[in-house]
């Protein structure tokens, strides 16, 4: 198990559960040690999302994530944080087959990272897995609505909650996740009115992404939030910085100074007068 960057009480999954209907829960994804250090003072929850496969590793979908990849990034985020509740995503293929498989994978994630909870995608169809992991003593965050691990099967990123049948299915999913014992649930990519209805319908906090301002909390992918995303920026993202631009300007300046021999200058080399 990884030890924290500094001692101190972490926010627990139960603390998050008690925030239902209160001050909105601030969540972001994090995949690395430096980003975890920078975000930890500001957030309640850090999600080591399987979006890491796309964002940092360049895969086309989150199906590129493996258990080993999630554990390595989970360890880095635990080392870099001391306060936030850290949740690690269970990658596709690590939990769907059976409750036994789900418990074994969740145990491995928690034992090898020391994280507070795991997250998995699915509602009614994954209730047995959620219940088994919770019964094993590991807190679970659910994830319903648009499920990134299913986009290939579904033929793309499709917003949910557009038909009465689908709304009824989402309500059943939210109820199943709550009844199975999840401490909170991510609602992704649904019609706004549906996400706020789901939030009123269940007693555990809902964490929205492309969902509703009425959810109990919000999450964004960190690279989207800081303007690092190089491909299409989704509609639901608000960029709070433009690091793409900053990095590009810095790289161009560096390249120009190396080519002109302006860098390294006298301040960046060791001469007789330096120790
Ligand atoms: O993997 C991820 O980043 C996620 C969030 C989008 C909720 O699941």
């Amino acid at each position: 198990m990884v030890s924290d960057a500094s001692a101190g009480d972490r926010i627990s999954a139960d603390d998050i559960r008690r925030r239902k209907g209160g001050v909105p829960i601030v969540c972001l994804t994090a995949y690395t040690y430096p980003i975890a250090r920078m975000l930890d003072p500001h957030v309640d929850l850090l999600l080591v999302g399987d979006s890491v496969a796309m964002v940092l590793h360049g895969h086309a979908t989150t199906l590129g994530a493996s258990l080993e990849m999630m554990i390595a990034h989970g360890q880095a985020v635990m080392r870099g944080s001391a306060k936030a509740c850290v949740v690690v995503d269970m990658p596709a293929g690590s939990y769907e087959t059976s409750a036994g498989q789900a418990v074994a994978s969740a145990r491995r994630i928690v034992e090898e990272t020391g994280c507070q909870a795991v997250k998995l995608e699915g509602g009614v169809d994954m209730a047995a897995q959620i219940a088994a992991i919770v019964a094993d003593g590991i807190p679970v965050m659910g994830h319903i609505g648009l499920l990134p691990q299913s986009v290939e099967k579904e033929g793309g990123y499709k917003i949910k909650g557009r038909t009465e049948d689908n709304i009824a299915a989402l309500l059943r999913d939210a109820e199943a996740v709550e009844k199975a014992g999840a401490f909170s649930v991510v609602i992704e990519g649904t019609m706004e009115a549906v996400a706020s209805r789901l939030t009123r319908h269940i007693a555990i906090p809902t964490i929205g992404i492309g969902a509703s301002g009425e959810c109990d909390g919000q999450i964004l992918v960190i690279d989207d939030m800081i303007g690092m995303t190089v491909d299409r920026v989704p509609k639901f993202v608000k960029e709070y910085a433009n690091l793409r631009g900053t990095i590009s300007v810095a790289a161009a300046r560096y390249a120009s100074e190396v080519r002109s021999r302006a860098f390294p200058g006298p301040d960046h080399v060791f001469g007789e007068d330096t120790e």
Side-chain angles (χ1 to χ4, degrees):
M1 190 182 288
V2 171
S3 61
D4 300 353
S6 61
D9 284 345
R10 272 190 192 269
I11 296 168
S12 69
D14 270 343
D15 294 332
I16 298 290
R17 184 201 297 270
R18 284 191 284 271
R19 300 269 300 266
K20 176 75 186 176
V23 175
I25 303 160
V26 181
C27 313
L28 279 169
T29 70
Y31 317 114
T32 64
Y33 170 82
I35 289 285
R37 280 194 65 168
M38 286 183 250
L39 300 184
D40 191 51
H42 305 287
V43 302
D44 301 305
L45 186 146
L46 289 172
L47 171 68
V48 185
D50 59 355
S51 50
V52 67
M54 301 170 75
V55 175
L56 291 196
H57 294 265
H59 288 277
T61 70
T62 59
L63 298 186
S66 65
L67 210 45
E68 289 68 29
M69 186 188 285
M70 299 314 302
I71 288 169
H73 288 285
Q75 290 171 340
V77 169
M78 284 299 290
R79 285 187 201 106
S81 61
K83 172 185 79 79
C85 178
V86 175
V87 179
V88 177
D89 247 340
M90 300 188 71
S94 73
Y95 62 92
E96 304 91 322
T97 308
S98 67
Q101 184 207 24
V103 170
S105 301
R107 269 191 201 165
R108 210 183 136 195
I109 291 172
V110 171
E111 282 169 9
E112 294 185 33
T113 67
C115 68
Q116 278 61 59
V118 296
K119 174 168 86 57
L120 61 83
E121 296 184 10
V124 172
D125 55 338
M126 289 299 138
Q129 276 84 339
I130 296 174
I133 299 170
V134 172
D136 201 51
I138 299 173
V140 178
M141 176 180 244
H143 186 152
I144 63 171
L146 188 161
L147 303 180
Q149 291 178 5
S150 303
V151 290
E152 278 186 4
K153 217 165 37 198
E154 294 209 349
Y157 292 88
K158 307 243 166 75
I159 298 304
K160 304 292 177 180
R162 290 190 192 275
T163 65
E164 283 309 317
D165 278 358
N166 189 235
I167 294 169
L170 286 170
L171 287 163
R172 285 195 298 274
D173 281 339
E175 284 166 12
V177 166
E178 177 184 22
K179 195 158 161 247
F183 71 93
S184 64
V185 60
V186 168
I187 298 178
E188 177 164 0
T190 64
M191 299 298 283
E192 199 275 335
V194 177
S196 55
R197 182 166 165 196
L198 291 170
T199 298
R200 291 191 301 275
H201 191 68
I202 56 175
I204 55 173
T206 59
I207 308 297
I209 175 163
S212 167
E214 288 181 29
C215 288
D216 299 296
Q218 300 296 328
I219 187 161
L220 283 177
V221 166
I222 180 61
D223 289 57
D224 289 342
M225 192 278 278
I226 59 179
M228 282 275 281
T229 301
V230 283
D231 298 320
R232 196 180 67 87
V233 179
K235 167 185 164 58
F236 57 81
V237 168
K238 179 169 177 184
E239 294 186 328
Y240 287 83
N242 176 11
L243 293 204
R244 252 186 330 266
T246 304
I247 291 171
S248 172
V249 167
R253 240 181 98 195
Y254 170 73
S256 151
E257 291 196 5
V258 168
R259 289 187 184 115
S260 69
R261 299 195 186 280
F263 178 84
D267 291 348
H268 304 105
V269 293
F270 301 97
E272 289 306 319
D273 55 341
T274 50
E275 296 188 7

